[in-house]
Amino acid sequence: MSAFHAIYAVVVFVIAYGLITIERFNKTLVALAGATAMFFLPVVNSHEVFYSEDTGIDWDVIFLLLGMMIIVSVVRQTGVFEYVAIWSAKRAKGSPLRIMVLLLLVTALGSAFLDNVTTVLLIAPVTLLVCDRLDVAASPFLIVEAFAANIGGAATLVGDPTTIIIGTGADLSFVSFLANMAPVVIIVLGALVALLRPLFPGAFTVDPERIANVMSMDEREAIRNPRLLIHCGVILVAVFAGFVAHKQIHMEPSLVAMTGAGLLIVISRLGREFYLSSVEWETLLFFAGLFIMVGTLVKTGVIDKLAHLASHATGGGPWMTTLLILGVSFLFSGFVNNVPYAATMTPIVGQFTASNQHLNPHGVLWWALILGTVLGGNLTAVGASANVVVVGIAVRAGSAVSFWDFTRRGAVVTATSALIGIGYLWVRYFLLA
C-alpha cells in the first residue's frame, strides 16, 4: 500500500468519525458510506472485506450479536424480563439509584464470565421495563450498564473479546488473569458507583405513586409461558457453557449463539415477527461498516505504524514504558473500536517484551495493555461493542443516547479508571514487587 492509500484511508475515517460525532446524519448510513468510499481507489477488495481475519468484517462478532438478539427475542415472549424487572424494583424499594447499582453489579458480574455484549443484551430489556414501570428515563441506566459491562469484562480471560485476544496472545492462564485483573476491576466498579449521582443529576427522582404501584405488584403474574421459559433456561445454560468451554469444544462463541438461537426458534414455534423482534439490524450494519473502515487502517499500516511508534517511544525504563502503553491504549481504544486495536497491539507488545525482558517485570506491560484497551472503550459511544449495542437499544426504545451525552460521561469514567489503573500498576508491580 502506498502512502497515498494510507492518507486516503485516514481522511475517510476521520470524516466519517466526525459525522458520527456531530449526529447530523444516521450513524449507520455514515459507517456504510465510509466503508463504500474505501472501495473507490480501491483501498480494499471484496476478499479482504468478507474473508480476511485481519482487515475484513469480524463475522464472529456479527453472528454472536445476531444469535443473542434472536435468543433475547424468544426469551422476551415468556415474560421473564417483566418478572425480573418487578422483582429488582421491589428489592430496591423503588429507589432508582439502588436499582441502578443493582443492575450495574449484575451486569459487571455477568460480563466477567460471559461476553459483555451478551450480558447487555440480556440486561437491557429488564432495564427498559423497570424504567417504564417507574416512569424514569432509561438512557442513564443503559449508559451505566455499558460502563459496567466493559469494566466487568476486564476481570477474566473470557469477559471481553479484547481480553480473549490479548490473553491468548500473551499465553495467560485464566487463574493468573483473574488474580491480576479482578482487584483493580473491583476498585474501578466502586468508583463508578460513587460517581453515579454526579454523572446523572436529577435522574433519580420518581413519583411516589409509581413506587407504590410497583411495590403492590406480584412478579409471578408476569410469566406468560412457563413451558417456554423452561426451554429457554435449558438452552441459555447450554449456550453459556459453550461460551466458557468454546476452546475445548472447538466451537466459536458466534456458532454457539447461532446454534442456541436456531434451537429456540424450532422449539418455540414462534413466527418471525416474534423471534426477530429484538434484532437490531442497524446496529449490525453499523458494525460491518466500522469493521471495514478500521480494517483499511490496518491494511494500509496506519494502526501498525502508530502502535509501533507508541511502543518504541520510550527510553525511561519499565515504569515509563508501562505508562506509555497504558495511556496510548486508553486513548486509542476510545476512538477506534478496541477489538481491532487489541488484535494489532498484541503481537507488537509480544515482540517488544521478548526483546526487552527488563521492561516487563511481572508481566506488567500485558496488564497495562489489557487495562487500557478494555477500560478505554468506555470513552466514547463507539469505543467498545457493548457501547454500540446499548446505544442502538436506547434508540429503538425511544430513549436515544447521543454521542456526546455518552462521551462526556465516558470521559469522566475513563479518566477515573486511568488514574486508578496507574495507581494499581505502580503499587502492585513496582512498589510492592
Side-chain angles (χ1 to χ4, degrees):
M1 285 279 105
S2 68
F4 177 75
H5 285 86
I7 294 171
Y8 178 82
V10 170
V11 170
V12 170
F13 181 83
V14 169
I15 292 174
Y17 201 94
L19 292 175
I20 290 171
T21 60
I22 64 175
E23 299 181 317
R24 293 284 297 275
F25 305 94
N26 181 285
K27 73 177 191 300
T28 301
L29 292 179
V30 172
L32 292 177
T36 302
M38 297 301 183
F39 300 129
F40 286 165
L41 283 185
V43 182
V44 290
N45 56 43
S46 61
H47 184 274
E48 290 163 336
V49 167
F50 296 114
Y51 303 107
S52 173
E53 292 185 3
D54 299 320
T55 62
I57 297 172
D58 192 332
W59 294 112
D60 281 325
V61 172
I62 298 294
F63 281 100
L64 172 63
L65 289 172
L66 177 59
M68 291 310 302
M69 287 174 178
I70 292 173
I71 289 173
V72 168
S73 296
V74 176
V75 174
R76 187 191 296 275
Q77 309 308 314
T78 67
V80 70
F81 291 136
E82 289 92 334
Y83 175 95
V84 175
I86 296 169
W87 181 89
S88 60
K90 290 175 69 174
R91 294 302 175 276
K93 307 296 183 184
S95 166
L97 179 59
R98 291 176 186 170
I99 292 171
M100 183 179 281
V101 172
L102 176 63
L103 294 175
L104 178 159
L105 295 176
V106 170
T107 302
L109 182 62
S111 296
F113 297 98
L114 303 172
D115 181 86
N116 52 14
V117 172
T118 299
T119 303
V120 297
L121 282 170
L122 292 172
I123 297 296
V126 176
T127 304
L128 294 173
L129 287 165
V130 170
C131 293
D132 180 64
R133 297 288 186 183
L134 294 176
D135 193 26
V136 296
S139 54
F141 291 79
L142 293 172
I143 292 173
V144 167
E145 284 163 15
F147 294 155
N150 292 324
I151 295 169
T156 69
L157 188 64
V158 297
D160 188 275
T162 57
T163 62
I164 295 173
I165 292 170
I166 298 172
T168 302
D171 197 25
L172 302 172
S173 70
F174 187 93
V175 174
S176 173
F177 200 108
L178 183 66
N180 284 275
M181 293 303 298
V184 67
V185 165
I186 292 171
I187 297 170
V188 174
L189 280 175
L192 178 59
V193 171
L195 287 170
L196 293 181
R197 281 193 182 277
L199 284 175
F200 302 98
F204 306 110
T205 303
V206 63
D207 186 344
E209 291 186 7
R210 285 278 185 170
I211 296 177
N213 180 46
V214 169
M215 295 301 293
S216 66
M217 298 178 71
D218 184 357
E219 57 268 31
R220 291 171 295 183
E221 295 178 357
I223 301 299
R224 298 187 295 272
N225 192 332
R227 182 180 179 84
L228 179 58
L229 178 59
I230 294 173
H231 291 154
C232 289
V234 173
I235 296 297
L236 277 172
V237 169
V239 168
F240 295 159
F243 286 160
V244 174
H246 72 93
K247 285 188 176 181
Q248 287 73 24
I249 63 176
H250 305 291
M251 196 171 182
E252 293 302 317
S254 55
L255 293 180
V256 173
M258 289 302 297
T259 301
L263 288 173
L264 278 182
I265 290 173
V266 173
I267 292 171
S268 67
R269 299 181 182 180
L270 294 170
R272 63 181 180 181
E273 68 274 18
F274 295 106
Y275 67 74
L276 294 179
S277 62
S278 294
V279 175
E280 304 281 343
W281 297 110
E282 282 208 4
T283 298
L284 298 178
L285 288 172
F286 176 76
F287 268 116
L290 190 63
F291 278 132
I292 293 171
M293 288 194 294
V294 174
T296 60
L297 298 181
V298 173
K299 182 188 176 183
T300 55
V302 173
I303 290 181
D304 188 55
K305 180 66 174 177
L306 292 173
H308 269 96
L309 288 174
S311 296
H312 294 287
T314 178
W319 176 236
M320 290 304 298
T321 306
T322 300
L323 280 181
L324 183 64
I325 290 179
L326 181 70
V328 169
S329 298
F330 262 104
L331 182 62
F332 271 80
S333 294
F335 292 97
V336 178
N337 188 278
N338 55 12
V339 172
Y341 175 80
T344 302
M345 279 297 291
T346 298
I348 294 172
V349 173
Q351 182 179 6
F352 183 68
T353 56
S355 57
N356 300 274
Q357 293 278 351
H358 65 287
L359 296 179
N360 190 33
H362 312 288
V364 66
L365 296 186
W366 289 118
W367 310 126
L369 179 63
I370 292 164
L371 274 177
T373 303
V374 182
L375 301 188
N378 279 330
L379 181 58
T380 70
V382 297
S385 302
N387 306 0
V388 177
V389 172
V390 161
V391 170
I393 292 172
V395 170
R396 282 190 48 151
S399 186
V401 176
S402 72
F403 182 92
W404 289 112
D405 195 34
F406 189 104
T407 301
R408 65 191 179 91
R409 293 179 170 91
V412 175
V413 174
T414 302
T416 303
S417 301
L419 291 174
I420 292 172
I422 291 171
Y424 176 77
L425 293 175
W426 166 251
V427 171
R428 176 158 186 175
Y429 302 104
F430 292 91
L431 182 64
L432 300 180

